[in-house]
Amino acid sequence: MTEPNKGGRPQIELTDAQRAEVGELARVGMSKDLIADHLGIVRDTFSAILNRDPATAHVYARGLAEGLAEIHRAAFKEAKAGNPAFARRMAQLAARADDGGAGEAQP
């Protein structure tokens, strides 16, 4: 349940279409700053929306996860094709996965 607005500007609520856009933009690797700019709001407002709106937070997180999975699939495909740089990267990712993801950068 949301607290009543105690003054100031009214809270921004994203439409379903905007929420879907957030997921797609996160999937292609856009930063929170760029997503906020695309929506016409500042990053602090976008962060506040993510904190108070579980549906938007879920769509954002899902978009990030799908984008990273897509990148890993492409790297795996290149490694299987014999690309040595991608093979080394996949070995690094596998070692981090065995270590519970320690050291993995957060988007």
Side-chain angles (χ1 to χ4, degrees), residues 30-107:
M30 262 190 157
S31 69
K32 286 182 182 178
D33 287 328
L34 290 174
I35 293 172
D37 189 47
H38 178 78
L39 295 170
I41 57 178
V42 296
R43 182 191 170 133
D44 287 347
T45 300
F46 182 57
S47 292
I49 291 169
L50 291 175
N51 288 332
R52 75 170 182 263
D53 181 2
T56 300
H58 174 75
V59 168
Y60 175 76
R62 177 77 184 218
L64 286 177
E66 287 174 358
L68 288 173
E70 209 171 298
I71 289 167
H72 286 185
R73 278 191 294 276
F76 183 73
K77 182 178 178 181
E78 286 294 319
K80 280 182 68 174
N83 185 321
F86 281 99
R88 282 191 301 276
R89 180 64 180 141
M90 292 309 297
Q92 291 170 345
L93 290 171
R96 286 187 180 158
D98 289 342
D99 193 24
E104 190 69 25
Q106 295 295 320

